[in-house]
Amino acid sequence: MQRLAVQKYFLENLDTVACILGIVFGILIASLYLISKTIHLLMLGLALTCASLVYLVIKKRQGVLNAPIHKSRKIIYEIIFFLLFSTSLLVLFTNENRPFSYFFLIALCSGFLALSILHAKTQSEIIMQILKIFMVSFNLKYSLFISFAGSGVDYWGHLKINSLLAQQGFINILLD
């Protein structure tokens, strides 16, 4: 009987358990940076920890999130999202690389997208949010292709290095 009660409590609060595990694993992954100085470990660990903490804060404010929001505010969120998205495309096409401002604009787009997702109630609003998620992800993938004309973040740099290595035949050429 008591085991069933524990299982029921666990299943009802599975999101909280997942958040706590996310915080623990995020700290664990970030602490691996002390062993291996790989910035990806630090960033992934901090992102996982922060996302889990933000979810816990949002979950506690569930009453605030369920409060009705005016349609004008939803429209403002949509307008701001599309303005920021358009500006990110403009920044992408006017620069040779993907500058910090591009990523900052994408982050702001994602923030307004998150606000829109929190307040989406109808089926059409949910579909619109899914389309916006695809737009942001396509923007990021497309920008990688536009900037580097291939896969990876330094495609042309690796191509040049491999070409030099093939021509010279010595590994020392890579150190120049």
Side-chain angles (χ1 to χ4, degrees):
M1 180 71 179
Q2 186 178 2
R3 184 176 182 189
L4 290 174
V6 170
Q7 285 178 340
K8 182 179 178 185
Y9 178 80
F10 180 77
L11 290 175
E12 288 175 355
N13 296 307
L14 194 58
D15 59 340
T16 306
V17 172
C19 279
I20 292 170
L21 287 173
I23 292 169
V24 170
F25 284 127
I27 292 171
L28 180 70
I29 291 170
S31 65
L32 288 175
Y33 178 74
L34 298 172
I35 298 169
S36 171
K37 299 291 184 191
T38 306
I39 194 70
H40 301 298
L41 290 173
L42 182 64
M43 290 296 137
L44 178 65
L46 290 177
L48 182 59
T49 302
C50 290
S52 299
L53 286 172
V54 166
Y55 181 79
L56 282 178
V57 168
I58 288 173
K59 183 183 177 198
K60 290 188 182 218
R61 294 184 177 187
Q62 199 65 300
V64 175
L65 294 178
N66 290 336
I69 185 172
H70 295 288
K71 186 147 181 84
S72 62
R73 186 174 288 181
K74 288 182 182 181
I75 292 171
I76 289 172
Y77 290 159
E78 299 293 328
I79 290 171
I80 291 173
F81 171 83
F82 283 108
L83 283 174
L84 290 170
F85 186 80
S86 301
T87 307
S88 74
L89 290 175
L90 183 68
V91 167
L92 177 65
F93 286 115
T94 57
N95 289 298
E96 193 172 308
N97 296 356
R98 297 185 300 174
F100 174 76
S101 58
Y102 169 77
F103 292 106
F104 186 74
L105 288 168
I106 290 294
L108 288 175
C109 282
S110 300
F112 280 100
L113 176 59
L115 286 174
S116 298
I117 289 170
L118 286 175
H119 298 294
K121 301 291 184 213
T122 65
Q123 185 74 20
S124 62
E125 289 175 349
I126 292 170
I127 291 171
M128 182 64 174
Q129 304 318 312
I130 292 171
L131 288 174
K132 287 174 16 183
I133 290 169
F134 283 125
M135 287 172 58
V136 170
S137 64
F138 180 74
N139 187 348
L140 285 168
K141 285 291 188 184
Y142 184 67
S143 69
L144 185 66
F145 183 76
I146 288 293
S147 297
F148 302 106
S151 61
V153 290
D154 52 0
Y155 178 77
W156 292 109
H158 279 124
L159 189 62
K160 181 182 175 188
I161 288 172
N162 288 340
S163 177
L164 285 172
L165 181 62
Q167 288 173 358
Q168 300 295 326
F170 298 106
I171 198 78
N172 294 344
I173 195 71
L174 301 180
L175 302 176
D176 292 339

